[in-house]
Amino acid sequence: MPRATTLILILAGLCGSSLGQYNEEEDLAWLQYYLRQSRASSYNYVPYYEEESPAYAYSYPSATDTEPEPEPEPQQTAPWRCPQECDCPPNFSSAMYCDTRNLRYLPFVPSRMKYVYFQNNLITSIQEGAFDNATELEWLALHNNQISSEKMGKRVFGKLRRLERLYMNNNNLTRLPSPLPRSLRELHLSYNHISKVPPSALEGLENLTALYLSHNFIFEMGASLKGLQSLILADLSYNNLRKVPDGLPASLEQLYLEYNYINAIPDDYFQVSPRLLYVRMSHNSLTNQGLSSNTFNSSSILELDLSYNRLQKIPRVNTNLENLYLQGNQINEFSISSFCSVVDVMNYSRLQVLRLDGNEIKRNAVPPDAPLCLRRATVIEI
């Protein structure tokens, strides 16, 4: 037997012995991944972990053609295989990256996946049962697409009992997806066309900690936030709200309501949220007639932004407040009683930043006992 032939047979025998130590399907999957990577352009993805935030770039899809929407091809491979349209790194086998590939449909999601990224595509619909096979999903990124509420299955998220983060901002939704899994912790729906949030849309989400609904057309929230017993952050800015939501959860720490049309706040509205730290209500229509004397007298609030409203007087605030923004109103007097009910050595405000520029107050209107009351202040702009 020729020497070259003998060498080939020896090498083949060694390779067969080595491959026999591994699962045949895993070897084929690895080979498929390697060949696909050698043909296509490479994607340098870094997996996202629990303590990290995904670096999502918010941008709108540029293509606006009207070609018929293609349907996903029938799956011919085993259910654990990675779809050919996507990338499933071997060193992070529970993640599937299908972002920024001009996709018009949702590829099949293998059952082992926990983190799936479909952002920055041209997807317009989510068919019923799209995620029924992937019940282990924890992160689902669908932002920066063209998904409409009319082209979503009625229960597309119904079986995702472990889903924690759902990103659907920058789409064409006109209502909240429903039902949503009770496991959900973050819901991102900013930059859509939602106009109303009925209480039933968020019912049962006792684990939800962050709700992002900014840049929509919401004119009514009702009591939809009240039952969210774990909610920490609610962003309802840049909407069409005429009134504040009916009732806040006790767990709330951050409330963003800027750029709405709110003109009044009920008495003791913030008292039900003893952990509330940040309240931002700039660019609304608030007047002193729409506020009670104790509306903002909450001992937990550290930052209060009431800039660019229609206030004529400084509202009374708690002595624990650290940052107060009142610029761009119609305030014409500096009332020290708004900060200190009693002014002496033992009673003073913890206020550090006070902005009153863009009002009708004159610099010489500051009362002589202001330095004693506002002794902690490092910035006062008039």
Side-chain angles (χ1 to χ4, degrees):
M1 181 180 296
R3 183 177 180 182
T5 305
T6 304
L7 181 59
I8 291 173
L9 290 175
I10 292 173
L11 289 173
L14 289 174
C15 291
S17 174
S18 176
L19 289 173
Q21 300 174 12
Y22 298 92
N23 183 278
E24 181 179 356
E25 290 183 335
E26 291 180 353
D27 291 332
L28 290 175
W30 176 87
L31 180 60
Q32 181 189 43
Y33 171 81
Y34 177 80
L35 292 175
R36 185 168 66 250
Q37 288 296 96
S38 64
R39 291 195 303 266
S41 58
S42 61
Y43 294 85
N44 184 22
Y45 292 112
V46 178
Y48 302 128
Y49 294 94
E50 180 76 16
E51 65 272 9
E52 297 178 352
S53 298
Y56 296 140
Y58 297 154
S59 61
Y60 292 96
S62 57
T64 57
D65 53 41
T66 57
E67 295 180 6
E69 179 180 333
E71 295 295 329
E73 297 180 3
Q75 289 293 318
Q76 302 295 332
T77 56
W80 51 265
R81 297 278 181 88
C82 187
Q84 62 180 359
E85 305 94 335
C86 307
D87 185 55
C88 307
N91 61 336
F92 194 43
S93 60
S94 59
M96 186 171 83
Y97 297 94
C98 311
D99 55 303
T100 321
R101 299 170 193 230
N102 290 322
L103 295 180
R104 296 176 180 272
Y105 60 87
L106 288 174
F108 176 79
V109 182
S111 58
R112 74 176 187 274
M113 294 303 169
K114 295 183 179 180
Y115 312 94
V116 178
Y117 303 94
F118 291 116
Q119 72 268 26
N120 303 325
N121 280 296
L122 303 172
I123 301 168
T124 59
S125 63
I126 304 178
Q127 61 272 25
E128 193 71 64
F131 306 112
D132 284 3
N133 182 65
T135 56
E136 300 296 309
L137 278 180
E138 296 180 11
W139 285 33
L140 179 55
L142 291 161
H143 53 286
N144 294 343
N145 277 286
Q146 300 173 9
I147 302 169
S148 63
S149 297
E150 293 71 23
K151 293 186 178 181
M152 282 184 59
K154 293 182 179 180
R155 300 185 63 85
V156 291
F157 306 119
K159 294 185 179 181
L160 303 181
R161 297 181 179 179
R162 297 189 179 184
L163 189 66
E164 294 184 358
R165 291 172 174 84
L166 177 60
Y167 297 86
M168 292 197 72
N169 33 300
N170 280 312
N171 276 285
N172 296 324
L173 300 177
T174 53
R175 59 180 179 270
L176 269 69
S178 183
L180 292 166
R182 293 175 177 267
S183 57
L184 207 60
R185 292 174 55 191
E186 291 185 14
L187 180 58
H188 298 254
L189 294 171
S190 299
Y191 292 94
N192 276 285
H193 306 290
I194 300 168
S195 59
K196 189 176 181 180
V197 183
S200 58
L202 298 172
E203 188 176 1
L205 300 183
E206 61 267 15
N207 294 308
L208 193 68
T209 60
L211 176 63
Y212 297 91
L213 283 169
S214 68
H215 294 87
N216 276 281
F217 301 95
I218 301 171
F219 65 90
E220 183 179 349
M221 286 292 296
S224 54
L225 299 182
K226 194 172 184 179
L228 304 177
Q229 59 188 25
S230 300
L231 193 67
I232 294 175
L233 183 152
D235 187 355
L236 305 173
S237 58
Y238 292 89
N239 276 288
N240 295 329
L241 292 173
R242 303 280 174 175
K243 56 179 294 189
V244 292
D246 296 334
L248 299 177
S251 57
L252 196 65
E253 296 180 8
Q254 303 176 51
L255 178 62
Y256 304 136
L257 288 166
E258 61 261 41
Y259 287 92
N260 278 284
Y261 300 93
I262 300 168
N263 57 22
I265 302 175
D267 191 18
D268 298 327
Y269 179 71
F270 299 109
Q271 303 300 324
V272 297
S273 302
R275 301 178 183 177
L276 194 60
L277 299 173
Y278 307 100
V279 177
R280 295 177 183 172
M281 299 191 67
S282 67
H283 296 273
N284 275 278
S285 302
L286 291 173
T287 64
N288 290 97
Q289 289 72 30
L291 305 175
S292 73
S293 59
N294 287 313
T295 299
F296 299 111
N297 191 14
S298 171
S299 60
S300 65
I301 299 177
L302 298 181
E303 180 177 292
L304 177 60
D305 188 353
L306 300 175
S307 59
Y308 301 98
N309 278 278
R310 300 176 184 175
L311 299 174
Q312 294 179 319
K313 296 181 179 180
I314 301 174
R316 184 182 178 187
V317 295
N318 194 272
T319 54
N320 289 331
L321 188 68
E322 295 181 358
N323 300 290
L324 177 60
Y325 303 96
L326 290 167
Q327 69 269 25
N329 278 278
Q330 302 167 12
I331 299 172
N332 53 28
E333 65 177 48
F334 194 116
S335 52
I336 201 64
S337 60
S338 298
F339 308 102
C340 300
S341 56
V342 177
V343 182
D344 57 33
V345 176
M346 300 299 296
N347 296 281
Y348 57 91
S349 171
R350 276 72 176 172
L351 203 66
Q352 299 176 18
V353 175
L354 173 62
R355 288 197 57 181
L356 287 165
D357 46 308
N359 281 280
E360 299 175 11
I361 301 178
K362 296 181 180 179
R363 290 183 176 273
N364 57 7
V366 179
D369 52 353
L372 186 60
C373 171
L374 301 175
R375 68 185 71 173
R376 291 279 188 90
T378 57
V379 175
I380 297 180
E381 295 188 17
I382 299 178

